[in-house]
């Protein structure tokens, strides 16, 4: 049995280790997420979330909508980098009504403000997040969004019907452009 010379094995082992460390560094670099204050994106954002307190027939209280782990299908740029349109991003939103609401308010309308956080991957593999504030006006399930996001949205109760049971959860879908 012939044994390979140490002169051949050692450089190969060093090269393999260096390649492994380089690959780990690249994976670590891709996993790091950075906040970007600039974004010029067109997005379809979708998330289901909790309404607190639930909206019912009689009670009029300001309400909060909190949606986490939603999806973001975006195109455009974030932080000067092109968004990878083959990768689905994520979206979270937190919105508060400006006034007390009840079930009748869903048809008659109300206003509020919110914070949106869109996370996407760029074509070079960077993870970037854009957080912005927006205002909304809702009437009959149609939502008009303005401020850091511009466009329209829909609001669809997913738990509760406002007739027999309070609305505890809803699905929102935004078709918006970022405005920075």
């Amino acid at each position: 049995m012939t044994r390979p010379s140490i002169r051949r094995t050692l450089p190969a082992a060093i090269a393999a280790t260096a390649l492994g460390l380089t690959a780990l560094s690249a994976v670590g670099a891709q996993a790091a997420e950075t906040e970007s204050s600039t974004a010029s994106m067109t997005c379809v954002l979708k998330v289901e979330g909790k309404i607190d307190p639930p909206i019912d027939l009689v009670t009029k209280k300001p309400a909060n909508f909190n949606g986490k782990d939603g999806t973001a299908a975006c195109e455009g740029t974030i932080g000067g980098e092109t968004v990878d349109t083959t990768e689905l991003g994520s979206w979270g939103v937190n919105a508060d009504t400006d006034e007390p609401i009840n079930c009748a308010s869903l048809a008659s309308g109300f206003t509020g403000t919110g914070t949106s956080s869109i996370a996407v991957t760029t074509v070079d593999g960077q993870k970037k997040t854009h957080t912005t504030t927006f205002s909304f006006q809702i009437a009959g399930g149609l939502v008009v969004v303005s401020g850091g996001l511009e466009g329209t949205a829909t609001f669809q109760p997913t738990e509760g019907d406002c007739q027999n049971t309070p609305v505890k959860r809803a699905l929102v879908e935004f078709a918006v452009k970022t405005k920075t």
Side-chain angles (χ1 to χ4, degrees), residues 5-106:
S5 114
I6 191 132
R7 284 186 174 163
R8 289 187 191 161
T9 344
L10 190 56
I14 291 171
T17 302
L19 284 173
L21 291 175
T22 303
L24 285 176
S25 297
V27 169
Q30 286 182 355
E33 194 168 300
T34 58
E35 178 69 28
S36 177
S37 61
T38 62
S40 180
M41 298 184 294
T42 300
C43 300
V44 173
L45 310 169
K46 189 175 187 177
V47 71
E48 183 179 5
K50 179 180 177 183
I51 300 170
D52 189 33
I55 304 169
D56 64 23
L57 280 169
V58 181
T59 309
K60 287 192 105 178
K61 295 181 181 176
N64 169 268
F65 175 83
N66 189 354
K68 300 176 183 174
D69 302 320
T71 58
C74 300
E75 62 182 22
T77 61
I78 184 168
E81 301 292 328
T82 302
V83 173
D84 183 350
T85 58
T86 66
E87 294 279 333
L88 193 59
S90 62
W91 182 50
V93 64
N94 191 10
D96 297 297
T97 61
D98 289 336
E99 64 233 36
I101 64 170
N102 62 14
C103 291
S105 304
L106 294 175

